[in-house]
Amino acid sequence: MSDEKGQHVPVLPNEVKTLLKAESGDVVLDCTLGLGGHARMLAESVGSSGMLIGMDVDELNLQEAGERLKNCGCPYRLFRCNFSSFEEVLEEVGITGIDVILADLGVSSTQLDDGDRGFSFQSDGPLDMRLDDRLAESAADLINRLSESELADAIYQYGQERFSRRIARAIHHVRHRGRITTTGQLAEIVAKAMRVKPSSRSSKIHPATRTFQALRIAVNDELGALERLLAKAPRYLRTGGRIGVISFHSLEDGIVKRDFRQQKSDGFYTILTKKPVTGSEEEIAINPRCRSAKLRVAVRTDLPFPG
């Protein structure tokens, strides 16, 4: 999303700024830099006496975010790594406490629009889906390796696709004739298995949407990484520090919701958002990606974290 100056505009910017309440001198951990929209906004809030630590697995995102953060008025360090490894990053920087943690989950528009990345069925490209190109296994590797039952389970668990077994059976049948390697191949297989013509638009979403989501989550271990981040966060958040997570589908939102509730029950958090915060109609009209965005925020109490 870009504004009238051609600059990236992140989702829910006003809500993030208001609820995370980054202030002068704060240490901010942006776990998912993306194109740097949230990071720039938070860096300006904490100023020269604060510190921004940014993380992303995508090298191009890091480069773009680095350009956007130039002259932001705040010291910053950027790291190419998964946010589940933030402990190692903090150790390298020499920081033991954080005031603000933000994770904006999902895939950026630049990644979706790049046909060579394999995230979208809108154009035919390599079936890759790796957010981090250093990962050993691509989506093509995954669907050609998993057994039919394993594939069905993954599509059902991560894509919430009720036709997962039918789709897995179709993939299993086709790959015996040759390796499945492109997004176009996979989208066509899924559409035929579901007996839906994508061009007919009889459904509100493309028939392959949930299958593509499932494979992307599986390839990048997105839910596992989120769970590891949330489990470690209370140890490093200072008293009064805030953690905010923006999710884009119910699996992510459910993990965040359950974690915050458990941390509240254990005495480490108070929950600032009883219900997830969503975009206004005005913002959704300007930035359609906000339609599925949900922000949850919790505040660290003064109860010491064990260990």
Side-chain angles (χ1 to χ4, degrees):
M1 172 63 190
S2 300
D3 63 12
E4 67 275 8
K5 298 179 182 179
Q7 296 180 335
H8 167 65
V9 178
V11 298
L12 305 176
N14 295 330
E15 293 82 356
V16 167
K17 186 172 184 178
T18 300
L19 292 171
L20 289 186
K21 205 176 179 180
E23 298 177 342
S24 178
D26 281 351
V27 175
V28 173
L29 176 65
D30 188 334
C31 298
T32 48
L33 266 176
L35 300 179
H38 287 125
R40 175 79 192 199
M41 179 181 68
L42 294 170
E44 290 173 348
S45 295
V46 304
S48 60
S49 60
M51 176 75 177
L52 171 74
I53 303 167
M55 306 170 65
D56 204 294
V57 294
D58 189 312
E59 187 172 16
L60 293 178
N61 276 355
L62 280 174
Q63 292 173 2
E64 179 73 21
E67 288 297 316
R68 186 157 282 114
L69 286 167
K70 285 182 178 179
N71 304 315
C72 67
C74 169
Y76 63 89
R77 294 280 303 276
L78 307 184
F79 295 85
R80 189 185 182 195
C81 61
N82 189 282
F83 55 68
S84 63
S85 303
F86 79 88
E87 285 179 304
E88 290 87 341
V89 167
L90 294 182
E91 183 176 351
E92 180 174 339
V93 178
I95 287 177
T96 57
I98 311 170
D99 300 290
V100 174
I101 297 177
L102 174 65
D104 177 5
L105 308 174
V107 183
S108 70
S109 56
T110 53
Q111 291 167 329
L112 287 173
D113 294 341
D114 186 349
D116 290 336
R117 301 295 295 273
F119 292 110
S120 175
F121 37 73
Q122 300 301 329
S123 61
D124 193 21
L127 189 57
D128 194 316
M129 298 195 190
R130 290 175 295 178
L131 294 167
D132 184 347
D133 61 12
R134 299 169 298 181
L135 293 176
E137 191 168 55
S138 69
D141 296 325
L142 195 68
I143 66 167
N144 287 287
R145 174 180 64 80
L146 294 179
S147 68
E148 181 180 332
S149 61
E150 289 172 331
L151 190 56
D153 289 344
I155 295 172
Y156 181 78
Q157 180 181 356
Y158 299 137
Q160 300 174 298
E161 174 57 77
R162 62 192 181 99
F163 297 109
S164 62
R165 306 231 168 265
R166 185 191 299 179
I167 293 168
R169 192 178 309 118
I171 291 172
H172 180 71
H173 178 73
V174 171
R175 71 187 183 187
H176 274 299
R177 302 199 302 266
R179 183 177 170 86
I180 300 168
T181 60
T182 72
T183 56
Q185 281 179 286
L186 180 59
E188 183 179 1
I189 292 168
V190 175
K192 286 183 177 179
M194 295 177 64
R195 303 182 182 91
V196 175
K197 291 183 178 180
S199 59
S200 71
R201 292 292 184 251
S202 58
S203 174
K204 289 185 178 180
I205 65 172
H206 190 287
T209 297
R210 294 187 179 92
T211 298
F212 270 64
Q213 172 185 297
L215 289 173
R216 192 201 78 218
I217 290 173
V219 166
N220 297 285
D221 187 27
E222 293 177 28
L223 302 186
L226 175 59
E227 289 171 344
R228 292 189 291 274
L229 167 68
L230 294 172
K232 299 173 184 177
R235 182 184 304 277
Y236 294 93
L237 271 174
R238 294 177 174 138
T239 299
R242 301 188 176 200
I243 177 171
V245 182
I246 301 174
S247 62
F248 290 87
H249 56 74
S250 59
L251 292 174
E252 293 171 337
D253 184 56
I255 290 173
V256 178
K257 178 181 178 180
R258 289 189 294 273
D259 178 83
F260 282 10
R261 285 184 173 179
Q262 184 60 55
Q263 301 289 7
K264 177 184 177 182
S265 177
D266 292 341
F268 301 121
Y269 285 167
T270 57
I271 298 175
L272 202 59
T273 51
K274 293 183 178 180
K275 293 182 179 180
V277 175
T278 57
S280 65
E281 291 184 6
E282 180 181 4
E283 183 179 4
I284 291 172
I286 298 172
N287 185 2
R289 186 168 177 256
C290 287
R291 188 179 305 278
S292 56
K294 295 181 178 180
L295 169 65
R296 292 184 185 270
V297 178
V299 182
R300 185 69 168 89
T301 66
D302 60 0
L303 182 68
F305 198 79

